Amino acid sequence: RHSDYELMGVIVLRPDGAMQAAYPEDAAVQAGTDPAAWWVDSILLSCRILGRTIETAIVAWAAAHVAGRGAQVLLGPVIEAPRNTPGRGRFEKSGMRALDTGLDLGAGGLWRQDLTGDLPQVPDYFKVTDIPSKAAAVAPKAPTLVPKPAAITAPKRALTQAETAKPVPPNGVGTTPAF
């Protein structure tokens, strides 16, 4: 979160078996098979925070999170696509190493972080409200990363009645989805 009023990104992590099952036709995923690994399936970030080193903080948190579940390796694929150019270097900047798969992965690639030694650290100018430990027995809550000097905050205001009203189905009957 960049403030209390907005979600700025999400990271999806999967253990190796789940990643292999989810992407059976993906040559890079199949080439990176490692039972001791967890994968960064997806990182989605708002363009407003890209390039502000939040990527480094998120990857460091992810490394600690999966190490706490027994992972020895964190793998991250980068798929070359026109819209992901700003995020292609996130793993390299986070200290991960390119994995030679023997495949032509274009400007993307497959990246690896060994988790058996020192883990990458969240930059000290971020405040992480929940850092998992290697010994974590239960799933920690998702972290809230907030830059220490809170540069941007949304003004607090009361919600209008229209903002708090539940949507009514078009025919006025039936169940309303929860939001």
Side-chain angles (χ1 to χ4, degrees):
R1 289 183 177 257
H2 198 55
S3 76
D4 290 336
Y5 297 99
E6 56 193 328
L7 182 63
M8 300 302 290
V10 65
I11 184 169
V12 177
L13 302 168
R14 293 181 190 245
D16 186 67
M19 191 72 170
Q20 302 300 323
Y23 302 102
E25 312 246 337
D26 187 313
V29 170
Q30 299 307 316
T33 297
D34 183 340
W38 274 62
W39 290 73
V40 176
D41 179 314
S42 302
I43 297 180
L44 307 168
L45 297 173
S46 166
C47 61
R48 293 178 287 165
I49 59 171
L50 279 175
R52 297 176 185 251
T53 66
I54 189 100
E55 302 96 320
T56 305
I58 290 170
V59 173
W61 176 86
H65 180 78
V66 300
R69 282 161 178 66
Q72 297 175 10
V73 174
L74 179 64
L75 295 170
V78 177
I79 299 167
E80 182 179 3
R83 296 189 58 136
N84 74 352
T85 301
R88 286 187 195 150
R90 77 172 50 108
F91 294 133
E92 184 176 17
K93 290 176 185 172
S94 298
M96 295 177 80
R97 303 285 179 249
L99 186 62
D100 183 10
T101 62
L103 301 170
D104 179 11
L105 300 175
L110 185 57
W111 298 84
R112 176 188 171 96
Q113 175 70 53
D114 179 17
L115 304 176
T116 59
D118 292 336
L119 297 178
Q121 298 297 307
V122 174
D124 63 1
Y125 46 86
F126 283 99
K127 175 184 174 190
V128 179
T129 58
D130 185 353
I131 299 177
S133 69
K134 278 190 171 184
V138 295
K141 296 183 292 185
T144 301
L145 299 172
V146 181
K148 284 185 181 170
I152 300 173
T153 57
K156 293 185 178 184
R157 66 172 177 80
L159 296 176
T160 66
Q161 185 177 4
E163 291 172 315
T164 60
K166 290 185 178 180
V168 178
N171 62 3
V173 183
T175 59
T176 304
F179 292 97

